[in-house]
Amino acid sequence: MNRTGKTLLVLALVAVVAMAFRVSWNALRDVATATGADETAALLYPFVVDGLMALALVATLVLNGDSRRFALRVLASYTLASLVLNYVHGLVPELHSESVDWGRLADWDPANWALVLLATSLPVGSIYFGSDLVAKVLHHRPVDTAIAEETTERTVNRSTSDLQESTPTPMAPVEAPPALPAPEPVEELPLFEPTPVGALAAESTRPRRATGRVPDVARSTRPVRTADQLLDEARSATADWPVEELTGEAIRKAVHTSAAKARVLRETLRAERTAVPDEVAS
């Protein structure tokens, strides 16, 4: 529906509501006169009842959630009260000619008391409920605005917390660690202990088949090196190596020895390299 159609619809609604108010105004004025209201109060009484209905209707269009349900309950209550008073006005012809006694809206006393209580309590209820509805409308925030403000607040809080976390904390000056005592001299352990040939022969009791003469090519021409000779070769081969490169695998390949002997050489060389700076410092 375009803007012109909406405008015409609203104008038609206003016209219908105005005519309905004029019809209800006559009945409510006579009821107010019967309950003891003077001419001015009786003239204003319809605005108290039907006016609050209009206010509650506008509030239902603006509010949402619990506030909107409260406005709907007020609208329903005052609509029902106006309907009852208009119904009583139609049942009691004396109200039209102002010949009814004051405070008399029904012949049956309990019904009369209830109707008088209803008619006289509506102005007080209009003050209370009207003020509450106006306060709710004035303090109402549209859903989109509330969501946008909440998102902005979360973003600001998150940025503030990130800023606080990212601010570096001043560090206290670090004191130099005390000099470590010189390490005790490391005893040089034998690189390997030769195993007697007889012991190896005694371990095997299974007879072996003769395989013939070992070829000269398969025989090793490298002489057997002692532990001191092997350590000297490792020192010469790794003289210009940094300590980090003194690994068992690298030493094994450099001096062509077994992995077990290479590990012993690694520990010995590292101990020597570590002990030299300490002796110079002392």
Side-chain angles (χ1 to χ4, degrees), residues 16-52:
V16 171
V17 171
M19 290 184 289
F21 173 77
R22 176 62 186 86
V23 175
S24 177
W25 178 83
N26 187 45
L28 295 177
R29 182 198 60 183
D30 293 342
V31 170
T33 302
T35 56
D38 58 12
E39 184 177 356
T40 304
L43 184 65
L44 298 176
Y45 186 81
F47 294 96
V48 173
V49 180
D50 293 344
L52 184 63

Side-chain angles (χ1 to χ4, degrees), residues 91-240:
L91 289 178
V92 183
E94 292 81 0
L95 292 175
H96 307 171
S97 60
E98 299 182 0
S99 60
V100 68
D101 296 334
W102 279 6
R104 198 70 188 176
L105 298 178
D107 294 334
W108 187 41
D109 289 340
N112 181 67
W113 298 336
L115 291 174
V116 172
L117 176 62
L118 175 63
T120 55
S121 62
L122 289 178
V124 179
S126 296
I127 297 174
Y128 174 76
F129 294 117
S131 302
D132 197 2
L133 288 175
V134 171
K136 291 181 183 297
V137 171
L138 294 178
H139 290 85
H140 172 69
R141 293 187 304 169
V143 178
D144 297 339
T145 304
I147 294 175
E149 292 180 358
E150 184 178 358
T151 304
T152 304
E153 184 178 358
R154 289 181 179 177
T155 304
V156 172
N157 292 338
R158 186 179 305 156
S159 301
T160 304
S161 61
D162 294 343
L163 180 61
Q164 292 176 355
E165 291 179 0
S166 61
T167 302
T169 304
M171 299 179 61
V174 181
E175 298 181 358
L180 298 177
E184 298 180 358
V186 181
E187 295 184 4
E188 294 186 3
L189 300 177
L191 297 180
F192 62 94
E193 295 182 359
T195 303
V197 179
L200 295 177
E203 290 180 0
S204 177
T205 57
R206 183 177 178 181
R208 295 183 180 181
R209 186 183 56 173
T211 57
R213 180 174 175 274
V214 177
D216 295 337
V217 179
R219 295 180 182 178
S220 175
T221 59
R222 180 184 296 274
V224 178
R225 294 168 292 181
T226 63
D228 294 336
Q229 293 174 347
L230 195 59
L231 181 58
D232 292 338
E233 291 185 13
R235 287 171 180 166
S236 301
T238 62
D240 55 346

Side-chain angles (χ1 to χ4, degrees), residues 5-90:
K6 292 181 180 180
T7 303
L8 294 176
L9 180 62
V10 172
L11 292 176
L13 176 61
V14 171
V16 171
V17 171
M19 290 184 289
F21 173 77
R22 176 62 186 86
V23 175
S24 177
W25 178 83
N26 187 45
L28 295 177
R29 182 198 60 183
D30 293 342
V31 170
T33 302
T35 56
D38 58 12
E39 184 177 356
T40 304
L43 184 65
L44 298 176
Y45 186 81
F47 294 96
V48 173
V49 180
D50 293 344
L52 184 63
M53 291 168 52
L55 176 62
L57 178 61
V58 174
T60 56
L61 300 177
V62 176
L63 301 175
N64 50 36
D66 294 337
S67 300
R68 184 173 184 272
R69 286 189 286 271
F70 173 76
L72 286 174
R73 286 194 290 267
V74 173
L75 176 61
S77 301
Y78 269 71
T79 302
L80 181 61
S82 180
L83 175 62
V84 170
L85 296 181
N86 277 271
Y87 178 68
V88 171
H89 183 265

